Amino acid sequence: TLRLRVFDLNCWAIRYLSKRYQERVRLIGDMLRQEGFDLVLLQEVWSERDYHDLKAKLGGCYPFSHYFRSGVIGSGLCVFSRFPILDTLLYQYSLNGYPYMLQHGDWFCGKSVGLVIIKISGIVFNIYVTHLHAEYCREKDAYLSHRLVQAWELAQFIRHTSKAADVVLLGGDLNMHPEDVGIRLLRSWTGLQDAFTEAMHFEGCEGGCTLIPNNCFTVKTELLPFPLGIRIDYILYKAVSSFVVKCEVLKTTTGTAPGMDIPFSDHEAVMATLHIRRQGQAVGANLGTAEPMLADVVTEARTEVSVGLRAAQQQRYSTGRMAVLALLLLLLQAVAALGVLAGLAAGQPFPTLSFSLLAFLAIGVLLLATGLHLFHTIEVKMLQGTEEQMRMALRALQE
Amino acid sequence: TLRLRVFDLNCWAIRYLSKRYQERVRLIGDMLRQEGFDLVLLQEVWSERDYHDLKAKLGGCYPFSHYFRSGVIGSGLCVFSRFPILDTLLYQYSLNGYPYMLQHGDWFCGKSVGLVIIKISGIVFNIYVTHLHAEYCREKDAYLSHRLVQAWELAQFIRHTSKAADVVLLGGDLNMHPEDVGIRLLRSWTGLQDAFTEAMHFEGCEGGCTLIPNNCFTVKTELLPFPLGIRIDYILYKAVSSFVVKCEVLKTTTGTAPGMDIPFSDHEAVMATLHIRRQGQAVGANLGTAEPMLADVVTEARTEVSVGLRAAQQQRYSTGRMAVLALLLLLLQAVAALGVLAGLAAGQPFPTLSFSLLAFLAIGVLLLATGLHLFHTIEVKMLQGTEEQMRMALRALQE
């Protein structure tokens, strides 16, 4: 029998941008040192300097740690552990928003899932930490298909890499509500269980919410349709082979940190106490959901991916057309300029300044549209690939 | 006892660019249909149309197949199988050359490793197919560190995903000579064995070479230092758990296809007949190389990655400086223009045309240098990440 205390938090540690950022990182470090969890899964630790500061501070109680590097800014993912980390692997999602959506910035973060393997008293734990693409507008979610591709890749990555694990644990900001198709897909395809619904004892925000109006850093207008808040940060788990995992206690923070005037982050932390027990007889790895229901979820997800695919194809087409138009304009200008040079036209028929400005504009549009066209081509390919994988999974389920 | 015939070929099927491309794709299809292998691993099938043509042609003997989509162009990787494909996964390498090296084009291909899982008479096979970054100049190999990162990620991906497999098989164009550090790293870190060195019987090009001067499509000047040719296409394998794999026969094609005037591709195909036998007692998964030697290989690879890291840091610095200079020039121009507008200077001190051309140039340089700076920042991050993983592996080996 083993008891494991797990901590998960989206830290919202963006240098120079997040509110009262230094104070909060210090607070988080202090609390982690004081509480002495077994395993700490953090997201949005964007700066490696912050990771190193935390590492220096937490070295005593968490001698082992790993920071996952990816993308321009970094993945923001890191793990602190009381037990030796035996191995790590990073899988970067193939789709992650759009580079030109600078105000959303997800593309630059190289969203990924990190895996660390630890072994505690002979039990092999595969620990996954991840952060999926944010949902900026629930009514008209432009990133739904990207997030679904990420959820699918996350599920596939977990399935393929966890075959030798005794216990699988996933913590992170999934940016999906519990009833969303992506989370149902992830849970049913991997057989992972939700610590909140399984917990024998719960303390914290009502409904296990992790983005609450009570937190002074959350954007209140975004939470208007959800007076209690929303639950988008999760700890999920499953036991394979001959083990049983139970969630004894699940807690969340409830806004303001104890004895302080600010919360640790704009998200609430999720803390689970898991109880792992060796079972008499080995049971085969089983999917958590009955197969007909699983087929329904995959079909639903596939439909959403197809919708995203059609939008991406449309964008690929428009950007391609734009590039062709810019090229035509350039060619036209070249012909006109050559005509002038060859003396076909008398004098200087165009004002030089506006002529060259127009040429520069056309070159700019050509480059931009070509870049976007390439980008949307990749997007189409990845959406098609995911859709085909889902189709294959459905066929396998039906057989 | 099971006998498995495996075929591997880099098809060099670039539409409109490869020589006698349509003829060769047809030839490859005919030969595959005639020979009836169990498993066919192809690289450089860049166009999905070619894959679909092959699929339609080969449907009879290879009812199961998968094409791996990635990058702008595609991964070029596909698998045809006589046995049902149960599951697939694609892992895209985090580094793959430079987007501005248009003449090399590797960056646009989204180089990856594809995994397909098949089960033959109860034996689980993890089949990997991959294509690593090309080596354009062996004396001054600008892509060595990228290829080493790919070899490391390939090894890590195989290790983490093959834990439930009975037999692991890797085929592909690794773009590395047998004695290169990358291939030693891959083999010793995964325990994979080289079908060529293990084969009981060999037929084909001397030394198992797969890029030979005898092939009318190879660039003869590149092969000048290697009169026999070079061996860069491999079939590697290992058995885990209670199985033994032996390579009975290994063959390569030898230039011109039988009865034709052209070869199938600029690469030679590699064909292995593997013999898989269940063993009495289970043996634990063991690394192929003794641990002290393994530590030496990882150290050597890590040194090369560090060299690449320093070069990438240098490039990140120069592109950043270039961006700052362009920004300064723009600011200077803005100040000058404002000065004119405010009437500080009498008349029109600059010729408008060259002034605006200069501004456009500065904007162009700024955008380009910023893009490159971001790109090299990612490169630095991934090289650092790999170096750290290697350091962690070394520490684990020493303990």
Side-chain angles (χ1 to χ4, degrees), chain A residues 98-244:
Chain A
Y98 304 101
Y100 50 82
M101 297 301 270
L102 287 175
Q103 77 278 30
H104 291 166
D106 292 67
W107 186 82
F108 292 90
C109 308
K111 292 270 164 73
S112 316
V113 46
L115 159 64
V116 303
I117 298 183
I118 62 176
K119 203 177 194 170
I120 311 172
S121 25
I123 310 174
V124 177
F125 286 80
N126 270 32
I127 319 282
Y128 300 86
V129 56
T130 193
H131 184 187
L132 303 194
H133 196 293
E135 181 184 72
Y136 292 97
C137 168
R138 195 164 172 82
E139 287 67 49
K140 207 175 169 328
D141 183 7
Y143 302 108
L144 178 58
S145 58
H146 285 211
R147 205 177 311 103
L148 271 173
V149 168
Q150 295 185 343
W152 175 257
E153 289 179 347
L154 172 59
Q156 284 285 80
F157 181 73
I158 292 176
R159 285 179 64 230
H160 281 283
T161 53
S162 67
K163 284 177 180 165
D166 297 312
V167 178
V168 175
L169 202 69
L170 165 64
D173 175 1
L174 302 182
N175 272 312
M176 297 185 286
H177 298 208
E179 71 281 5
D180 285 357
V181 56
I183 206 120
R184 283 183 284 130
L185 179 72
L186 171 68
R187 285 190 45 207
S188 56
W189 196 232
T190 56
L192 285 166
Q193 293 186 295
D194 187 342
F196 173 72
T197 53
E198 302 295 323
M200 291 182 267
H201 177 73
F202 175 75
E203 273 173 46
C205 304
E206 204 169 327
C209 292
T210 58
L211 215 57
I212 56 170
N214 232 354
N215 182 311
C216 63
F217 296 130
T218 53
V219 183
K220 300 297 169 293
T221 48
E222 283 178 8
L223 291 175
L224 272 185
F226 309 99
L228 287 178
I230 56 178
R231 183 157 79 93
I232 58 173
D233 298 83
Y234 296 84
I235 291 178
L236 305 174
Y237 61 82
K238 75 166 172 178
V240 282
S241 72
S242 48
F243 290 88
V244 181

Side-chain angles (χ1 to χ4, degrees), chain B residues 281-351:
Chain B
Q281 74 277 36
V283 286
N286 66 324
L287 293 171
T289 319
E291 295 213 340
M293 201 179 128
L294 176 54
D296 287 349
V297 177
V298 178
T299 307
E300 194 181 338
R302 201 184 138 206
T303 311
E304 290 295 350
V305 171
S306 310
V307 172
L309 175 59
R310 275 195 295 279
Q313 280 167 331
Q314 182 59 42
Q315 278 173 306
R316 181 178 62 170
Y317 173 75
S318 352
T319 49
R321 192 181 49 187
M322 176 90 82
V324 169
L325 288 177
L327 192 65
L328 284 180
L329 177 60
L330 267 179
L331 287 177
L332 204 71
Q333 284 201 297
V335 169
L338 282 176
V340 172
L341 283 178
L344 291 179
Q348 185 78 0
F350 320 107

Side-chain angles (χ1 to χ4, degrees), chain B residues 24-255:
Chain B
R24 288 190 296 103
V25 172
R26 207 169 43 237
L27 265 184
I28 292 172
D30 291 342
M31 180 266 296
L32 289 177
R33 193 163 54 179
Q34 202 180 318
E35 289 279 337
F37 293 97
D38 295 303
L39 201 63
V40 174
L41 311 174
L42 302 181
Q43 301 99 53
E44 290 211 14
V45 180
W46 294 120
S47 153
E48 268 191 68
R49 232 159 77 200
D50 289 329
Y51 164 71
H52 285 295
D53 290 352
L54 279 173
K55 189 176 165 172
K57 190 176 208 168
L58 300 176
C61 13
Y62 308 90
F64 308 97
S65 65
H66 189 77
Y67 184 82
F68 291 99
R69 290 186 181 87
S70 92
V72 181
I73 304 174
S75 71
L77 307 173
C78 61
V79 175
F80 291 91
S81 163
R82 232 162 47 81
F83 303 95
I85 293 175
L86 302 180
D87 209 343
T88 66
L89 187 65
L90 183 77
Y91 182 96
Q92 202 168 331
Y93 299 123
S94 59
L95 285 181
N96 187 32
Y98 304 101
Y100 50 84
M101 296 302 270
L102 287 175
Q103 76 278 29
H104 291 166
D106 292 66
W107 187 83
F108 292 91
C109 307
K111 292 270 164 71
S112 316
V113 47
L115 159 64
V116 302
I117 298 184
I118 62 177
K119 202 176 196 171
I120 311 173
S121 23
I123 310 174
V124 177
F125 286 80
N126 270 32
I127 319 282
Y128 300 86
V129 56
T130 193
H131 185 187
L132 303 194
H133 197 293
E135 181 185 73
Y136 293 96
C137 169
R138 195 163 172 83
E139 286 66 49
K140 206 175 169 331
D141 183 5
Y143 302 109
L144 178 58
S145 58
H146 285 210
R147 205 178 309 102
L148 271 172
V149 168
Q150 295 185 344
W152 174 257
E153 289 179 346
L154 172 60
Q156 284 285 79
F157 182 71
I158 292 176
R159 285 179 64 230
H160 281 284
T161 52
S162 67
K163 285 178 178 164
D166 297 312
V167 177
V168 175
L169 201 69
L170 165 65
D173 176 359
L174 301 182
N175 273 312
M176 297 186 286
H177 298 206
E179 72 281 5
D180 284 357
V181 57
I183 205 118
R184 283 184 284 129
L185 179 72
L186 171 67
R187 285 190 45 207
S188 55
W189 195 232
T190 56
L192 285 166
Q193 293 186 295
D194 187 342
F196 173 72
T197 55
E198 302 295 323
M200 290 182 264
H201 177 73
F202 175 75
E203 273 173 46
C205 304
E206 206 170 323
C209 292
T210 58
L211 215 57
I212 55 168
N214 233 355
N215 182 311
C216 64
F217 297 130
T218 53
V219 183
K220 300 299 169 292
T221 48
E222 281 178 10
L223 290 175
L224 271 185
F226 308 100
L228 288 178
I230 56 177
R231 183 158 78 94
I232 59 174
D233 299 84
Y234 296 83
I235 290 178
L236 305 174
Y237 61 81
K238 76 167 172 177
V240 284
S241 72
S242 48
F243 290 88
V244 180
V245 183
K246 283 209 162 22
C247 180
E248 282 187 346
V249 186
L250 190 82
K251 290 184 191 178
T252 71
T253 51
T254 52

Side-chain angles (χ1 to χ4, degrees), chain A residues 322-337:
Chain A
M322 177 89 82
V324 169
L325 288 178
L327 192 64
L328 284 179
L329 177 60
L330 266 181
L331 288 176
L332 203 72
Q333 284 201 297
V335 169

Side-chain angles (χ1 to χ4, degrees), chain A residues 60-123:
Chain A
C61 12
Y62 308 89
F64 307 97
S65 65
H66 189 77
Y67 185 81
F68 291 98
R69 290 186 180 86
S70 92
V72 180
I73 303 174
S75 71
L77 307 172
C78 61
V79 174
F80 290 91
S81 164
R82 231 161 52 80
F83 303 95
I85 293 176
L86 302 180
D87 210 342
T88 66
L89 187 65
L90 183 78
Y91 182 96
Q92 204 169 330
Y93 299 123
S94 58
L95 285 181
N96 186 32
Y98 304 101
Y100 50 82
M101 297 301 270
L102 287 175
Q103 77 278 30
H104 291 166
D106 292 67
W107 186 82
F108 292 90
C109 308
K111 292 270 164 73
S112 316
V113 46
L115 159 64
V116 303
I117 298 183
I118 62 176
K119 203 177 194 170
I120 311 172
S121 25
I123 310 174

Side-chain angles (χ1 to χ4, degrees), chain A residues 38-64:
Chain A
D38 295 304
L39 201 62
V40 174
L41 310 174
L42 302 181
Q43 301 99 52
E44 290 211 14
V45 181
W46 294 119
S47 153
E48 268 190 69
R49 231 161 75 201
D50 288 329
Y51 164 70
H52 285 295
D53 289 352
L54 278 173
K55 190 177 164 172
K57 189 177 210 167
L58 300 176
C61 12
Y62 308 89
F64 307 97

